[in-house]
Amino acid sequence: MILPFSLFWLGALVTILMIRRANNFSIKETVRAAIGMRGYKRTGAITAGQLLTLTVPLGLWLVLIQACRA
């Protein structure tokens, strides 16, 4: 069950790094953008990263739950 957690945090880290690169933020600005306290320019890659970060671990989690029930 550690795989969905790992995928989520890896995806979050990659997305945060994409936000930092796309907007030339400092570390403090990047953290504020990641927690929603600062706006940032969204690109297609950032949006895709955010969606994949949420959907892939959730899908894997649901598959693992169904496998445990069987």
Side-chain angles (χ1 to χ4, degrees):
M1 292 296 217
I2 190 122
L3 186 60
F5 290 119
S6 300
L7 286 175
F8 174 79
W9 289 111
L10 179 65
L13 180 64
V14 169
T15 303
I16 288 169
L17 291 175
M18 287 192 301
I19 291 170
R20 184 171 185 204
R21 278 189 78 192
N23 295 286
N24 293 323
F25 285 164
S26 67
I27 293 173
K28 180 180 177 182
E29 291 172 322
T30 304
V31 170
R32 292 185 73 208
I35 61 174
M37 292 179 61
R38 186 185 198 297
Y40 58 92
K41 180 182 69 173
R42 287 179 173 85
T43 63
I46 291 171
T47 303
Q50 290 171 334
L51 288 173
L52 288 173
T53 297
L54 293 175
T55 57
V56 171
L58 176 63
L60 181 58
W61 190 268
L62 294 174
V63 168
L64 289 172
I65 289 172
Q66 290 300 319
C68 288
R69 287 184 181 175

